[in-house]
Amino acid sequence: MGPQQDRSAAKPYANGSTAAAAAAAGRKENNKVVRYRECQRNHAASIGGHAVDGCREFMASGADGTAAALLCAACGCHRSFHRREVEATAAECDCSSDTSSGTGRR
């Protein structure tokens, strides 16, 4: 058997980015911040009921780029059970909207 390799080291992709950088980029979509809010997992689905655990917001169990980063430290559920919320950044907001269309119709 050969020497064991450190699998936790950041390995670059073909484009030069690392796995941790790719995971962090997945949370920002075109200057949008993605947050995961309350857990929506139905714990009583197997008995025909509806019961959620009350977890209010996703908190990662581990560092970015690891498998533990996808598990919630509060409730233990996968991140996909939490409600996904996309927030636009201030630089993207166009607050100077003009309601007149300028068509000249009266």
Side-chain angles (χ1 to χ4, degrees):
M1 290 191 145
Q4 291 184 353
Q5 296 176 352
D6 184 16
R7 294 182 183 175
S8 64
K11 297 178 183 176
Y13 289 135
N15 65 1
S17 66
T18 61
R27 271 180 254 109
K28 291 186 177 183
E29 299 175 348
N30 299 332
N31 296 329
K32 294 180 183 177
V33 178
V34 178
R35 296 181 190 256
Y36 293 90
R37 297 297 183 181
E38 68 272 1
C39 184
Q40 298 176 334
R41 181 177 178 192
N42 183 2
H43 294 278
S46 63
I47 60 172
H50 183 79
V52 293
D53 62 4
C55 178
R56 301 295 292 159
E57 188 169 358
F58 175 81
M59 296 185 315
S61 294
D64 285 342
T66 64
L70 299 176
L71 296 177
C72 182
C75 65
C77 294
H78 190 270
R79 185 174 74 183
S80 64
F81 284 108
H82 290 259
R83 182 175 59 89
R84 187 170 187 253
E85 184 177 85
V86 179
E87 298 175 358
T89 59
E92 190 176 298
C93 179
D94 182 19
C95 299
S96 61
S97 63
D98 187 14
T99 57
S100 63
S101 61
T103 58
R105 295 173 60 182
R106 294 184 186 195

